[in-house]
Amino acid sequence: MDNATNRSPRAERARWAPPGYKYPSRSVAHSAAYQAERLTAADVDPALYGDRYEAGLFGLDCFDSMVTSGLDIDGYVFFSQVYRQLRPSRLGEPLTVTGWVRDLHQVRKGHSVTELYHLTDGEGRVCIETELTGLLADPPERASQDSGDAPPMPR
């Protein structure tokens, strides 16, 4: 593939995939022990969730999608991740993570990237959707001084 926008992100340790790029789907499941350990570390009582997943713990699975696609996330600065739970799912239930790059805008010090992810159950129903936003900072010697084309961040 000669066109850089059509190259696999694995090619030449790509800094980021273009808008519309879909990450390979992956199956994930979190055990009760995994969830309890993380919630307890955050001083949250795991009993509040019973036998249901806490949606925010799937954030690392989203990052794993980026890394397993071959993206170089060194310098990635995480801004926010918003979750919307559409259907509760049970601890240990396998979910499929699918994600794609929605927006990629050049900004003064790198690129602002927004990605969308769906976590679906075995019947293909979306249980959780999440939007992740971050900055992929350029190395200091490559940082541009212009403002790029990104829209202003909402306050």
Side-chain angles (χ1 to χ4, degrees):
M1 294 185 229
D2 294 329
N3 184 335
T5 59
N6 292 329
R7 265 195 331 235
S8 162
R10 287 189 179 280
E12 300 173 24
R13 301 266 309 150
R15 286 300 285 163
W16 216 263
Y21 176 78
K22 294 182 180 181
Y23 297 115
S25 296
R26 303 171 35 254
S27 181
V28 298
H30 295 173
S31 68
Y34 175 94
Q35 180 162 298
E37 178 181 12
R38 281 145 183 85
L39 291 175
T40 301
D43 203 24
V44 175
D45 182 1
L48 294 170
Y49 293 92
D51 66 347
R52 305 292 182 161
Y53 279 132
E54 192 284 324
L57 294 180
F58 287 98
L60 287 176
D61 297 300
C62 296
F63 282 108
D64 286 345
S65 291
M66 297 174 207
V67 172
T68 59
S69 290
L71 295 177
D72 177 1
I73 66 169
D74 187 27
Y76 182 85
V77 179
F78 174 70
F79 285 155
S80 69
Q81 190 162 16
V82 177
Y83 294 88
R84 185 171 152 210
Q85 185 170 346
L86 305 170
R87 176 191 166 278
S89 40
R90 296 193 184 281
L91 285 166
E93 178 180 352
L95 299 178
T96 300
V97 180
T98 56
W100 59 97
V101 178
R102 186 182 74 190
D103 297 305
L104 181 67
H105 297 285
Q106 180 142 13
V107 294
R108 193 168 63 104
K109 302 264 183 184
H111 288 83
S112 170
V113 61
T114 302
E115 300 163 303
L116 302 175
Y117 291 88
H118 285 164
L119 288 101
T120 56
D121 65 15
E123 295 178 31
R125 298 176 296 183
V126 176
C127 300
I128 300 166
E129 57 185 24
T130 182
E131 179 178 305
L132 190 146
T133 305
L135 169 71
L136 185 65
D138 283 339
E141 65 274 6
R142 288 187 34 206
S144 166
Q145 294 305 311
D146 59 58
S147 62
D149 65 354
M153 294 293 287
R155 299 276 180 223

